[in-house]
Amino acid sequence: MASPRVVILSGQSLFTEGVASRLREHISQLELKVIDPRGTGALEQIKDYQPSAVILDSADPEVAEVCPLNEILMAVPAVKVLQLDPRREQFQVVTSEEKVAGLVRDLVDVIMPSD
Amino acid sequence: MRVLVADDHSLFRDGIVSLLEAAGFEVVGQVGDGQSAIESAQLLRPDLVLMDITMPEMNGLEALRQIRFVLPDTKVVMLTVSEDDSDLFEAIRLGASGYLLKSLNADEFLEMLEGLSHGEAVMTRETTARLMRGFADLADLQETAPDRLSPRELELLQLVAEGLSNKAIGQQLSVSVNTVKYHMKNILQKLGAQNRTEAVMMAIRSGLIKPESSE
């Protein structure tokens, strides 16, 4: 199994580094990059890193401003985005798929539940 | 160093514990409210309590006060998102050994905690500067304000600090709302404050009034 490659996107350094530290304890082969949305080119860094998951601090307004969810998904279509709200201690997982839409049938295939 | 971590955000707490353990600190306990912090501190006798301010049941400042009373040798460092000067001054007044913001990076955070064992205050330069500015304001105010504010004005300002409206203050002091407003206007003018909140803050810092009723 390939090593999970994770980006944590948050401006709260201590929180982020704490979560990163704990993740490393649980996932030995983890490749992890912490990106501060206040830094330059956060979205570009995500695009270059091609993570399998992005953990973002949904309570941090800078995150939504600098790296909107749709732009992350456009940059890395197969990524899992974990929108973490530290205050509510909940997270929402957002995934996406990119497909060819040559025919209406392609849409139907996605809309209809598979057998 | 044996550390107790008190923070109501369990995910943050978990991360801090991980950082501390990786740096060689012994985390003896972790709790999510002020009351539990006091109980655990008494039971576990840590060298250091890392204490959030905003917590359920009992806030971190009150827990700090009680821990300092029952365990005077235990150091308490506030670890908070609050950049409010009143929280900073109150924490230091109550005997906190430091005041750190959660926006700090991990290396700086751990380095500062190491300094604690050498008797250093745990505070960033920015926070120290805020504290010094506060003391300068305080000294300035203490020199002049007691002479300038009448006992009646101090009494009124104390009631403002306790959250009473002009109407309620008027009822308590048996004066009209207009009289309360008149006194308030004089207080603002004498203290050079822009509004009643600023006047209250200045008076608390100078020790002219208490943050809340002692009753």
Side-chain angles (χ1 to χ4, degrees):
Chain A
M1 189 191 280
S3 308
R5 183 174 269 217
V6 176
V7 161
I8 303 182
L9 193 59
S10 169
Q12 289 193 60
S13 179
L14 206 51
F15 169 71
T16 308
E17 291 178 64
V19 170
S21 172
R22 194 58 100 199
L23 284 175
R24 286 193 184 98
E25 287 173 29
H26 287 284
I27 309 170
S28 56
Q29 300 297 313
L30 180 68
E31 290 180 46
L32 194 142
K33 186 180 179 76
V34 173
I35 298 176
D36 185 342
R38 287 155 189 81
T40 50
L43 192 62
E44 284 305 312
Q45 289 185 61
I46 293 175
K47 203 182 286 186
D48 293 344
Y49 195 66
Q50 288 292 307
S52 50
V54 172
I55 300 172
L56 61 82
D57 181 353
S58 64
D60 185 341
E62 293 267 352
V63 170
E65 197 180 312
V66 177
C67 294
L69 179 62
N70 64 328
E71 290 194 22
I72 295 174
L73 295 175
M74 290 282 280
V76 194
V79 75
K80 275 185 198 171
V81 179
L82 284 64
Q83 295 194 105
L84 178 65
D85 185 343
R87 288 175 217 157
R88 293 173 57 220
E89 298 183 348
Q90 285 183 346
F91 68 99
Q92 188 178 19
V93 183
V94 181
T95 57
S96 79
E97 288 178 75
E98 202 169 51
K99 290 182 174 286
V100 173
L103 300 168
V104 174
R105 177 73 212 181
D106 296 324
L107 307 181
V108 174
D109 287 346
V110 174
I111 293 166
M112 294 301 291
S114 53
D115 295 328
Chain B
M1 191 182 285
R2 302 172 75 250
V3 185
L4 170 67
V5 181
D7 195 302
D8 59 327
H9 292 143
S10 57
L11 202 60
F12 178 81
R13 205 171 62 219
D14 191 29
I16 286 292
V17 168
S18 173
L19 284 175
L20 290 169
E21 287 175 341
F25 289 87
E26 183 189 352
V27 179
V28 293
Q30 46 176 306
V31 294
D33 64 82
Q35 184 60 46
S36 304
I38 296 165
E39 290 163 9
S40 295
Q42 285 182 287
L43 187 71
L44 301 166
R45 306 276 168 147
D47 302 308
L48 166 67
V49 181
L50 280 176
M51 183 89 79
D52 189 15
I53 289 183
T54 308
M55 289 191 288
E57 304 297 330
M58 180 190 288
N59 74 37
L61 290 171
E62 178 56 23
L64 158 68
R65 191 183 68 77
Q66 294 198 30
I67 289 173
R68 292 290 299 155
F69 183 72
V70 292
L71 299 166
D73 293 334
T74 297
K75 292 183 167 61
V76 181
V77 170
M78 312 312 288
L79 182 57
T80 176
V81 294
S82 172
E83 297 188 53
D84 192 333
D85 279 353
S86 62
D87 284 338
L88 167 64
F89 297 129
E90 185 65 357
I92 299 305
R93 193 181 71 78
L94 292 171
S97 299
Y99 193 96
L100 298 176
L101 295 176
K102 289 180 177 177
S103 54
L104 207 62
N105 74 55
D107 289 342
E108 206 177 354
F109 166 70
L110 294 167
E111 197 177 311
M112 289 202 167
L113 292 188
E114 290 290 350
L116 196 62
S117 56
H118 306 117
E120 294 171 15
V122 179
M123 211 170 280
T124 61
R125 287 179 184 171
E126 290 81 6
T127 305
T128 307
R130 278 168 57 204
L131 200 58
M132 289 178 74
R133 273 198 303 275
F135 275 113
D137 292 346
L138 165 67
D140 188 37
L141 195 61
Q142 275 178 333
E143 273 181 18
T144 54
D147 296 336
R148 287 188 288 166
L149 291 188
S150 69
R152 187 60 151 180
E153 287 164 346
L154 285 172
E155 189 179 9
L156 190 146
L157 200 52
Q158 178 66 55
L159 295 174
V160 174
E162 288 167 20
L164 270 67
S165 65
N166 284 349
K167 188 179 172 188
I169 292 170
Q171 283 169 348
Q172 189 143 341
L173 300 180
S174 304
V175 296
S176 71
V177 171
N178 281 340
T179 304
V180 173
K181 284 180 182 171
Y182 172 78
H183 281 308
M184 202 60 231
K185 191 178 160 192
N186 283 344
I187 291 169
L188 296 182
Q189 207 167 23
K190 286 180 179 182
L191 293 179
Q194 296 295 313
N195 52 50
R196 50 200 279 153
T197 307
E198 192 183 349
V200 165
M201 286 305 306
M202 292 170 80
I204 289 173
R205 277 191 221 163
S206 68
L208 295 173
I209 60 169
K210 294 170 188 166
E212 55 193 37
S213 173
S214 56
E215 289 170 24

